[in-house]
Amino acid sequence: MPAGQKPDAPEIASVWTRPRRQREQLSREQIVAEAVQLLDADGLEALSMRKLGTRLDAGATSLYRHVANKDELIELVVDEVYGELDVPSADDATGWRAASVHSAYSLRAMILRHPWVASVLGQVGLIHLGPNVTRMSERMTAVYATAGFPADETEQAMNTVISYIIGMATSEAAYLSLIARSGKTEREFAESLRGDDKSDDKGTRLARDPEKTRDETFDYGLQRVLDGLTVRLSAS
């Protein structure tokens, strides 16, 4: 290497830079769809290339033609479920809050359908952004930009709301997983938590309609976060 010349930066491997293989019996789309089903059923710890190959009636070697390792597979499945999000646009500054609420409920619903997502985001974040993640992030950022946040605060405002959603949805997902393991319905589980104490109004409400109670709890926190951002908008 000539004196003074810097070595080339090491290339960061990512599944998104890997060329697709054509005319394969097993496609990347099939692999990702089956991986999502496996994760939904058994969780992140159960995911392995060997188990996935068995479910697809293919050897692990066939999978490695499409993805180099489990980390690349996780990149693909995270991007796949992000494609389920519905993020409306805000046509003007008055529509940002409604768009934010709609997006928030869509993200929450996605996490509750795929509770393993929260664990992935908590451990590694979004290291390599796939097309769905990129598109949804850009649409969400546009909502807060339209609201009128200063350019250097737009992403911070969005991340504040997303952090609330992920935190609440992760707790909900853990709670629902506990109920599923108990073999009870959500209402039966709520009743069992109350025991013989019937004096707690909140407990009565939870037992009567636990899903509605979760919705109300989520919405209360979301609205207060958006209230704070609205105040910030007024100040700026």
Side-chain angles (χ1 to χ4, degrees):
M1 179 183 300
Q5 181 177 338
K6 295 183 179 180
D8 293 336
E11 182 179 351
I12 300 176
S14 170
V15 70
W16 304 113
T17 62
R18 186 179 304 283
R20 285 176 176 266
R21 290 181 174 269
Q22 303 297 326
R23 295 184 296 275
E24 290 274 358
Q25 183 177 359
L26 188 63
S27 69
R28 178 186 286 184
E29 288 75 16
Q30 288 175 296
I31 294 171
V32 172
E34 192 65 36
V36 170
Q37 290 187 27
L38 191 160
L39 287 163
D40 289 347
D42 301 327
L44 188 61
E45 297 302 319
L47 180 64
S48 71
M49 301 295 276
R50 183 181 298 276
K51 179 177 289 189
L52 184 58
T54 300
R55 288 173 63 109
L56 288 164
D57 195 23
T61 303
S62 298
L63 272 62
Y64 287 124
R65 295 193 183 104
H66 298 273
V67 290
N69 49 45
K70 181 178 173 179
D71 289 340
E72 285 195 355
L73 179 60
I74 287 176
E75 289 181 50
L76 288 169
V77 294
V78 168
D79 193 71
E80 179 73 10
V81 297
Y82 259 78
E84 299 174 8
L85 297 187
D86 182 21
V87 181
S89 60
D91 296 329
D92 52 48
T94 62
W96 79 274
R97 185 154 178 159
S100 298
V101 170
H102 186 99
S103 302
Y105 271 91
S106 181
L107 177 55
R108 174 195 179 218
M110 184 271 279
I111 293 174
L112 294 183
R113 286 193 299 271
H114 312 290
W116 49 269
V117 172
S119 298
V120 172
L121 298 181
Q123 291 175 16
V124 299
L126 298 174
I127 298 175
H128 299 296
L129 301 183
N132 286 331
V133 174
T134 300
R135 182 166 55 252
M136 291 301 103
S137 295
E138 289 174 348
R139 289 181 66 86
M140 287 183 179
T141 302
V143 168
Y144 293 92
T146 303
F149 285 97
D152 60 344
E153 290 187 26
T154 299
E155 190 169 337
Q156 291 176 314
M158 177 190 71
N159 287 336
T160 297
V161 177
I162 289 177
S163 295
Y164 169 77
I165 300 165
I166 292 177
M168 287 295 291
T170 300
S171 296
E172 278 189 86
Y175 170 70
L176 294 175
S177 295
L178 178 63
I179 293 174
R181 292 195 298 272
S182 75
K184 299 178 180 179
T185 65
E186 187 173 357
R187 184 169 299 186
E188 290 169 344
F189 190 83
E191 283 282 4
S192 69
L193 292 180
R194 290 180 63 208
D196 296 329
D197 184 4
K198 308 298 183 184
S199 61
D200 185 358
D201 290 341
K202 180 181 178 181
T204 302
R205 182 164 54 92
L206 177 62
R208 183 172 62 248
D209 195 341
E211 183 175 355
K212 182 179 179 182
T213 301
R214 284 192 290 107
D215 288 344
E216 291 173 347
T217 300
F218 175 81
D219 192 68
Y220 179 86
L222 174 63
Q223 297 299 337
R224 301 297 76 77
V225 171
L226 295 177
D227 284 347
L229 292 176
T230 301
V231 172
R232 176 58 187 160
L233 272 176
S234 300
S236 62

